[in-house]
Amino acid sequence: MISLEVNSAEQAYIFFIFIINGFLIGFLFDLFRILRKSFKTSDFVTYIEDICFWILTGLLILYSIFKFNSGEIRFYILIAILIGVIVYMLTLSKFVIKIFVTILNSIKKVIMKITHIIFYPIKKLFFNPIHFIFVNVKKSIAKLIKKIEKTSFTTKKAKKQI
């Protein structure tokens, strides 16, 4: 006969495991917050990120419940997860966010510099001459329109005098 009794040492171990799960959930939450701080996203993308967060959180909790507690859901597991999230948010969250935002902003700056270096010759070779042509064509068309308007105005004026 299989016994479903769990001794207090195993319960303490499981409680500790789910506190760690709470830390992981808090860290995962911070990763999504960091992405939102670093990259401006539309509401639709934010909804997708929220759905991904909850799916990943659910999978983590389900995996842990089956792996460490034989699929049994106990009330103390939920309390342990909540304690883990709260302790993480009160202790490590600020530091993690600050470090990762700094790292992401540094990476963004490096990528921007690299793309500027790569695309600068392309810009100089292709876009500047095209811009020059469009600006001059626009000016020429504007001058032509003014001449046409001027001649049509003088023609109307001459007809009125006759």
Side-chain angles (χ1 to χ4, degrees):
M1 182 170 209
I2 298 174
S3 173
L4 294 178
E5 291 290 319
V6 180
N7 65 28
S8 60
E10 282 184 61
Q11 286 180 345
Y13 172 74
I14 292 168
F15 190 78
F16 180 71
I17 291 293
F18 283 95
I19 287 176
I20 293 172
N21 269 313
F23 266 78
L24 291 173
I25 291 168
F27 180 74
L28 187 63
F29 181 73
D30 275 350
L31 288 179
F32 283 98
R33 283 178 33 184
I34 291 164
L35 287 174
R36 287 185 188 158
K37 277 188 169 189
S38 298
F39 304 101
K40 295 184 182 198
T41 58
S42 66
D43 288 342
F44 179 74
V45 174
T46 301
Y47 299 142
I48 299 295
E49 288 174 347
D50 287 345
I51 291 169
C52 290
F53 169 75
W54 285 110
I55 289 172
L56 291 173
T57 300
L59 290 173
L60 174 67
I61 291 171
L62 284 174
Y63 172 78
S64 297
I65 288 172
F66 281 104
K67 176 79 174 168
F68 299 105
N69 205 30
S70 303
E72 294 180 23
I73 299 174
R74 306 274 179 160
F75 185 67
Y76 70 87
I77 289 174
L78 301 175
I79 292 172
I81 292 170
L82 186 62
I83 289 171
V85 169
I86 290 171
V87 170
Y88 172 83
M89 289 296 177
L90 294 175
T91 58
L92 297 175
S93 180
K94 291 178 188 175
F95 301 111
V96 168
I97 289 175
K98 189 178 279 188
I99 289 169
F100 276 97
V101 166
T102 304
I103 290 170
L104 273 176
N105 286 338
S106 299
I107 290 171
K108 279 172 40 178
K109 285 180 184 176
V110 169
I111 289 172
M112 292 301 290
K113 285 183 180 183
I114 290 172
T115 55
H116 178 73
I117 290 170
I118 290 172
F119 289 113
Y120 184 75
I122 295 170
K123 179 183 172 189
K124 285 295 183 187
L125 288 174
F126 295 108
F127 294 117
N128 284 354
I130 290 171
H131 178 70
F132 177 77
I133 291 169
F134 279 118
V135 167
N136 286 328
V137 167
K138 185 178 175 183
K139 285 179 184 178
S140 298
I141 290 173
K143 285 180 184 178
L144 183 63
I145 290 172
K146 281 184 181 180
K147 279 185 179 181
I148 291 171
E149 287 175 351
K150 197 177 200 182
T151 55
S152 67
F153 177 72
T154 54
T155 312
K156 287 179 185 177
K157 194 175 180 183
K159 285 183 181 179
K160 282 185 182 179
Q161 288 177 354
I162 298 180

